[in-house]
């Protein structure tokens, strides 16, 4: 696998750096390749959005219904302008726009709803560009490498696209090809975003999204390195080999709990386009196909264990430990907000127990309203937590979106799976730190008992939800009333 699917000639790259535009093989010329066009479009969009917020809300009294209505309209207009900018500048802009669209409960709904379409609106490279990348990166043409190669991509994303092909040994393969200008433009695009975010912060001091620029600056090179993606795919396949369903949402949550709490190696881009589900014709079992292994987060042991203990505290409604481990993870005095962001539940639900009741429509509206109201505190929190937490928050939101679509969000089974993984992770760590065989045995027995209790509780829930369980409950109720 090549480090990147497209590596342009050094002469063309030098021209891009000095003149601000890209000549692809001296034949392909796109107005979007001109630096002045991309920069001008980005500055113009930022200026229009900023002006809209400054003028539209100036004459309306804060806290009134009219203010909220006008603010919602400005949010929607601004989100649509931002979406159009991402679609026009493509590449890195689409990638960042996708990230923003995944920040449910962190950004106003108008933004997340509008920007989610970027997951399905991605540019496509031409056949000529695809041929050039394969020739330059692999040293051979398409006809030399493949018996057949489909011109139309199976799918196109912000950074690359995938084609179906057949090798000379008869194997059918997916060939992932990076878009032509993404790599050379990405560093310039991130610098441009950094300048724009800094400029907006001068006007709106509460606007603190530099964390997103910093994360993009760190993660984009990894996503553009296809050798890194190949190694990640092999590693996660080995790591999760015991799951026969991996080749939903209960299984998806189970898989991610294993990655986060037990292994500390997390696929951080599980949007709907990267998670495919199919039923095996021979067995009837559901299989999950996990795509796009460019972006993974490696969790340090201390961070992973603190995160385990925090989720255990959240599931048990142990508020003292929620405060303790939230602070250890950088939340400080904003630990109640941090707990709400992690669980996407109200503070009242966190106190009562997030596994007790499902999310109601009223609570959903309350969470979104509070997200807009506490945006300055949210951005402050995002700037203070460890960088590892940012991708986990994004991953949580993407998984939550899939669970909401499948109507399995905040189900008891997902919390039970998380509990199992947390118990196993903490017990494994405790055994590794103990030199006493007796102490190791104690830890193992405690672990087994805790897992047995969870299994027993899960069996109770299944019986309760079954027809047999309903008959037993009805019978017991009848016995109680008749006595």
């Amino acid at each position: 696998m090549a480090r990147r699917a497209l590596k342009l000639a050094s002469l063309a790259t030098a021209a891009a750096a000095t003149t601000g535009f890209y000549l692809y093989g001296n034949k392909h010329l796109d107005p979007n390749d001109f630096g002045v066009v991309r920069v001008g479009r980005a500055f113009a969009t930022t200026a229009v959005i900023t002006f809209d917020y400054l003028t539209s809300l100036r004459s309306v009294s804060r806290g009134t219904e009219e203010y909220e209505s006008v603010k919602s309209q400005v949010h929607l207009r601004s989100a649509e302008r931002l979406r159009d900018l991402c679609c026009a500048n493509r590449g890195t802009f689409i990638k960042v726009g996708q990230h923003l669209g995944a920040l449910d409960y962190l950004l106003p709904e108008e933004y997340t709803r509008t920007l989610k379409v970027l997951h399905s609106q991605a540019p496509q490279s031409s056949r000529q560009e695809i041929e050039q990348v394969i020739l330059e990166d692999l040293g051979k043409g398409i006809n030399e490498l493949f018996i057949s190669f489909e011109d139309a991509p199976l799918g196109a994303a912000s950074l690359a696209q995938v084609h179906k092909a057949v090798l000379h040994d008869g194997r059918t393969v997916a060939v992932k090809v990076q878009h032509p200008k993404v790599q050379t433009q990405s560093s310039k695009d991130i610098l441009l975003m950094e300048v724009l975010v800094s400029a907006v912060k001068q006007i709106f001091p509460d606007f603190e999204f530099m964390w997103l620029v910093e994360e993009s600056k760190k993660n984009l090179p990894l996503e553009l390195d296809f050798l890194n993606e190949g190694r990640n795919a092999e590693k996660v396949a080995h790591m999760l080999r015991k799951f026969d369903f991996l080749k939903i949402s209960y299984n998806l949550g189970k898989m991610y709990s294993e990655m986060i709490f037990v292994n500390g190696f997390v696929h951080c881009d599980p949007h709907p386009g990267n998670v495919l589900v199919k039923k095996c014709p021979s067995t009837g079992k559901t299989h999950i196909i996990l795509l796009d292994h460019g972006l993974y987060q490696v969790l340090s042991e201390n961070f992973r264990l603190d995160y385990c203990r925090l989720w255990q505290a959240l599931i048990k409604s142990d508020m003292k430990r929620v405060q303790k481990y939230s602070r250890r993870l950088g939340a400080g005095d904003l630990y109640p907000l941090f707990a709400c962001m992690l669980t996407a539940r109200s503070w009242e639900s966190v106190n009562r127990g997030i596994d007790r009741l499902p999310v109601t429509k009223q609570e959903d509206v309350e969470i979104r309203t509070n997200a807009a109201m506490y945006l300055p505190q949210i951005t402050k929190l995002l700037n203070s937590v460890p960088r590892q937490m940012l991708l986990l928050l994004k991953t949580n939101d993407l998984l939550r979106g899939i669970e909401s679509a499948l109507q399995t969000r905040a189900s008891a089974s997902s919390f039970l799976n998380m509990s199992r993984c947390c118990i196993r992770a903490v017990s494994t760590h405790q055994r590794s730190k103990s030199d006493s065989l007796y102490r190791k045995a104690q830890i193992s027995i405690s672990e087994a008992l805790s897992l047995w209790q969870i299994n027993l509780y899960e069996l109770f829930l299944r019986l309760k939800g079954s027809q047999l369980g309903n008959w037993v409950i009805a019978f017991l109720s009848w016995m109680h009333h008749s006595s």
Side-chain angles (χ1 to χ4, degrees):
M1 185 183 294
R3 180 167 295 277
R4 63 188 185 95
L6 180 57
K7 183 167 60 179
L8 299 175
S10 59
L11 185 59
T13 306
T18 56
T19 66
F21 64 89
Y22 223 100
L23 290 175
Y24 181 74
N26 296 322
K27 296 178 182 179
H28 181 76
L29 180 62
D30 188 333
N32 283 300
D33 297 339
F34 287 85
V36 66
V37 174
R38 298 170 63 80
V39 172
R41 186 187 289 124
F43 268 99
T45 301
T46 304
V48 170
I49 291 175
T50 301
F51 183 78
D52 198 356
Y53 275 103
L54 286 174
T55 56
S56 298
L57 298 173
R58 186 167 52 193
S59 58
V60 187
S61 300
R62 185 182 291 269
T64 63
E65 289 186 9
E66 182 185 6
Y67 180 88
E68 294 302 318
S69 175
V70 172
K71 184 172 69 172
S72 178
Q73 294 170 25
V74 177
H75 283 336
L76 182 58
R77 288 197 299 269
S78 301
E80 289 173 345
R81 289 167 181 146
L82 187 57
R83 177 201 61 203
D84 293 343
L85 169 65
C86 293
C87 290
N89 276 9
R90 301 177 298 190
T92 307
F93 280 82
I94 289 183
K95 192 68 183 178
V96 173
Q98 289 174 342
H99 194 157
L100 289 171
L103 296 178
D104 286 318
Y105 311 109
L106 300 183
L107 289 179
E109 183 185 9
E110 294 85 353
Y111 277 91
T112 56
R113 185 178 67 245
T114 303
L115 294 175
K116 280 186 189 300
V117 302
L118 294 176
H119 287 298
S120 58
Q121 291 185 9
Q124 291 187 11
S125 297
S126 68
R127 168 75 182 213
Q128 177 189 357
E129 292 170 317
I130 296 304
E131 288 178 341
Q132 186 71 17
V133 59
I134 291 176
L135 179 61
E136 292 187 356
D137 270 15
L138 302 181
K140 294 183 179 180
I142 287 178
N143 294 334
E144 296 178 88
L145 293 168
F146 309 103
I147 294 176
S148 66
F149 187 95
E150 294 187 2
D151 288 350
L154 295 173
S158 56
L159 306 180
Q161 64 190 49
V162 176
H163 292 260
K164 182 179 180 180
V166 179
L167 297 172
H168 285 284
D169 62 7
R171 286 181 296 164
T172 300
V173 294
V175 183
K176 186 171 182 178
V177 185
Q178 200 171 108
H179 294 311
K181 304 113 189 164
V182 168
Q183 190 147 38
T184 53
Q185 288 175 344
S186 62
S187 58
K188 302 181 184 69
D189 288 343
I190 292 297
L191 177 60
L192 173 59
M193 291 178 195
E194 192 169 6
V195 171
L196 292 175
V197 169
S198 298
V200 172
K201 182 169 170 55
Q202 296 301 314
I203 302 171
F204 302 105
D206 289 336
F207 183 85
E208 296 185 7
F209 273 80
M210 192 57 70
W211 60 270
L212 179 59
V213 176
E214 292 172 354
E215 282 300 293
S216 299
K217 188 186 299 185
K218 181 185 75 175
N219 294 324
L220 265 175
L222 296 175
E223 295 189 74
L224 292 170
D225 183 349
F226 285 179
L227 287 178
N228 175 67
E229 181 173 350
R231 288 190 292 268
N232 287 342
E234 291 170 352
K235 181 175 179 178
V236 78
H238 177 75
M239 192 177 74
L240 301 179
R241 64 190 182 280
K242 65 180 179 180
F243 293 144
D244 58 3
F245 58 76
L246 182 61
K247 287 252 177 163
I248 153 163
S249 181
Y250 171 88
N251 285 335
L252 188 62
K254 185 177 182 180
M255 181 173 69
Y256 267 85
S257 292
E258 187 82 12
M259 282 195 280
I260 293 170
F261 299 114
V262 178
N263 295 288
F265 185 70
V266 190
H267 179 285
C268 287
D269 205 11
H271 65 73
N274 285 340
V275 182
L276 308 182
V277 181
K278 72 171 184 179
K279 182 173 286 188
C280 179
S282 58
T283 64
K285 290 183 177 181
T286 300
H287 284 182
I288 295 176
I289 300 102
L290 197 60
L291 306 178
D292 196 347
H293 299 276
L295 184 58
Y296 273 75
Q297 179 66 272
V298 179
L299 308 181
S300 68
E301 185 176 57
N302 288 338
F303 177 93
R304 179 173 60 84
L305 292 169
D306 283 343
Y307 194 61
C308 280
R309 291 173 176 127
L310 173 58
W311 269 105
Q312 285 181 305
L314 286 166
I315 292 169
K316 294 177 182 178
S317 301
D318 185 341
M319 303 318 295
K320 286 185 178 180
R321 286 170 63 85
V322 167
Q323 179 177 352
K324 173 184 176 180
Y325 289 107
S326 294
R327 288 182 180 277
R328 286 182 62 162
L329 289 168
D333 292 335
L334 294 174
Y335 70 89
L337 178 61
F338 184 54
C340 293
M341 287 168 61
L342 277 179
T343 59
R345 302 298 298 267
S346 67
W347 182 238
E348 180 184 356
S349 294
V350 172
N351 277 275
R352 291 174 60 189
I354 55 177
D355 62 335
R356 304 293 163 80
L357 294 172
V359 183
T360 63
K361 188 174 182 179
Q362 180 181 355
E363 184 181 4
D364 220 2
V365 172
E366 178 188 345
I367 293 167
R368 291 188 178 278
T369 303
N370 287 340
M373 187 183 306
Y374 292 106
L375 187 57
Q377 290 89 338
I378 290 173
T379 54
K380 179 182 177 182
L381 184 59
L382 292 175
N383 277 302
S384 61
V385 296
R387 301 296 90 182
Q388 299 171 81
M389 182 59 69
L390 296 178
L391 280 178
L392 282 188
L393 287 169
K394 172 196 171 185
T395 303
N396 284 346
D397 284 334
L398 288 169
L399 290 172
R400 219 169 269 130
I402 293 174
E403 289 175 342
S404 295
L406 296 174
Q407 298 182 342
T408 59
R409 181 176 158 210
S411 63
S413 63
S414 64
F415 293 122
L416 292 176
N417 277 327
M418 292 172 69
S419 296
R420 288 188 182 99
C421 288
C422 289
I423 289 168
R424 287 168 48 213
V426 172
S427 298
T428 299
H429 172 73
Q430 289 174 338
R431 279 193 295 269
S432 69
K433 297 298 180 182
S434 175
D435 295 327
S436 166
L437 291 177
Y438 175 73
R439 176 59 184 152
K440 287 182 178 181
Q442 276 187 319
I443 295 168
S444 296
I445 292 171
S446 177
E447 176 187 10
L449 286 174
S450 297
L451 293 175
W452 180 79
Q453 287 177 329
I454 292 175
N455 292 338
L456 192 63
Y457 180 59
E458 186 174 39
L459 178 61
F460 165 75
L461 291 178
R462 289 182 179 177
L463 286 174
K464 185 179 177 182
S466 67
Q467 188 64 43
L468 176 61
N470 291 332
W471 290 341
V472 172
I473 292 172
F475 176 74
L476 292 175
S477 177
W478 176 77
M479 289 289 291
H480 174 73
H481 288 298
S482 60
S483 58

